Amino acid sequence: MNRRTALVAGSATLLVASCGMGSAPPVDASGTAAPRVYRINKAEADKIPFRLLDSVNALRSAKGVQPLAFNAALNAAALTHSRDMAVQNRPWHFGSDGSSPLLRVQRVGYTGQFVGETISETYQTELETLSAWMAEADTRDVILTPAAREIGFAWFQEQSGKIWWTLVLGG
């Protein structure tokens, strides 16, 4: 074996060996793989609502339910609640002032009928969150309800990476 062949063969061996050497995925205290933080940057932030809307409408179409359209007032109600859940540090449907989802959509001037709300506290993407909502009967029923005609969707991401998602439906 000449010197050049030995160098090429040695480099290839090191390259193949290094493929398995990266950093190990983070684990939590129990040894389970910890979630990776989904950081939302400006470029992604502009795409997120439309990816979610397209996905929701595809799911609704598969069930024979009409598609939804964004409503600015419902988007505002969703954003307000996402930020408020972060302040309260708990995912629940009531505002820090005791407001219900119905009251929040009325406060932003929504004149249609409030249909439902889904919320989440996670480090996952909007599509992973939608998948989790679809896996649960109560949130799936909200998303697929034929009574809905409009959607509001927003999030708030903390410095830690935790994301508070809110989806509001109106009819």
Side-chain angles (χ1 to χ4, degrees):
M1 176 185 300
N2 69 28
R3 187 175 188 186
R4 187 176 307 174
T5 305
L7 285 174
V8 170
S11 297
T13 303
L14 286 174
L15 180 63
V16 171
S18 69
C19 288
M21 294 175 60
S23 61
V27 294
D28 62 19
S30 70
T32 306
R36 296 208 182 265
V37 175
Y38 172 52
R39 293 277 178 197
I40 300 173
N41 60 37
K42 176 64 176 146
E44 282 302 300
D46 293 340
K47 297 173 188 174
I48 288 171
F50 300 102
R51 278 197 304 254
L52 180 98
L53 180 63
D54 289 346
S55 298
V56 166
N57 283 337
L59 292 165
R60 289 175 63 84
S61 176
K63 292 295 183 181
V65 184
Q66 75 177 31
L68 303 174
F70 277 124
N71 177 282
L74 292 178
N75 284 339
L79 180 57
T80 298
H81 193 55
S82 291
R83 288 181 176 167
D84 191 49
M85 286 190 297
V87 168
Q88 296 180 71
N89 196 34
R90 64 178 168 182
W92 75 323
H93 294 282
F94 294 97
S96 56
D97 61 356
S99 62
S100 68
L102 174 60
L103 182 57
R104 286 192 300 276
V105 299
Q106 290 171 341
R107 283 180 179 168
V108 295
Y110 184 67
T111 57
Q113 176 186 1
F114 170 75
V115 173
E117 178 182 78
T118 62
I119 58 173
S120 182
E121 164 196 19
T122 185
Y123 292 90
Q124 297 179 314
T125 69
E126 71 284 356
L127 298 182
E128 290 169 315
T129 301
L130 177 59
S131 179
W133 285 336
M134 292 302 291
E136 297 295 326
D138 57 341
T139 50
R140 180 178 56 245
D141 291 347
V142 170
I143 293 167
L144 298 178
T145 182
R149 303 284 185 268
E150 298 176 301
I151 186 173
F153 176 69
W155 66 91
F156 177 78
Q157 186 165 37
E158 296 178 357
Q159 287 294 105
S160 69
K162 185 189 297 185
I163 308 170
W164 301 88
W165 302 101
T166 305
L167 182 147
V168 182
L169 298 178

